[in-house]
Amino acid sequence: MKKYEVTIEETVNETFEFEVPDDVDIYEYVREHYYNCDIVLEPGECQSRQMKIHNLDEDTMTEWQEF
């Protein structure tokens, strides 16, 4: 029996609409609201999915593979 560690990465997106005053940097505005949990992506449309596998017995790692 072999032992593996599997990493799965998914990219999910969601579109949000904002009204921001002219003197406010939109990137800073969104960043601040995202890190304050005012913007939360719901599980939804998965844009991509990939995995890599680490063989712990042989200490080898595959490249990222879409699935």
Side-chain angles (χ1 to χ4, degrees):
M1 195 164 287
K2 294 181 181 178
K3 190 172 184 178
Y4 295 94
E5 187 174 70
V6 177
T7 303
I8 297 175
E9 178 181 275
E10 292 183 333
T11 301
V12 177
N13 73 11
E14 188 169 341
T15 302
F16 300 89
E17 190 171 302
F18 298 96
E19 289 187 25
V20 180
D22 292 338
D23 62 339
V24 173
D25 182 302
I26 183 64
Y27 293 104
E28 291 301 319
Y29 178 89
V30 171
R31 208 176 277 122
E32 177 183 332
H33 282 78
Y34 178 80
Y35 286 113
N36 287 334
C37 297
D38 299 326
I39 301 170
V40 178
L41 276 74
E42 299 294 328
E45 185 176 333
C46 183
Q47 296 297 305
S48 65
R49 184 178 298 117
Q50 61 183 4
M51 74 172 148
K52 67 179 176 179
I53 300 171
H54 181 192
N55 182 324
L56 297 172
D57 294 329
E58 298 173 15
D59 195 26
T60 58
M61 183 87 65
T62 65
E63 296 293 322
W64 283 103
Q65 298 176 21
E66 288 192 39
F67 72 99

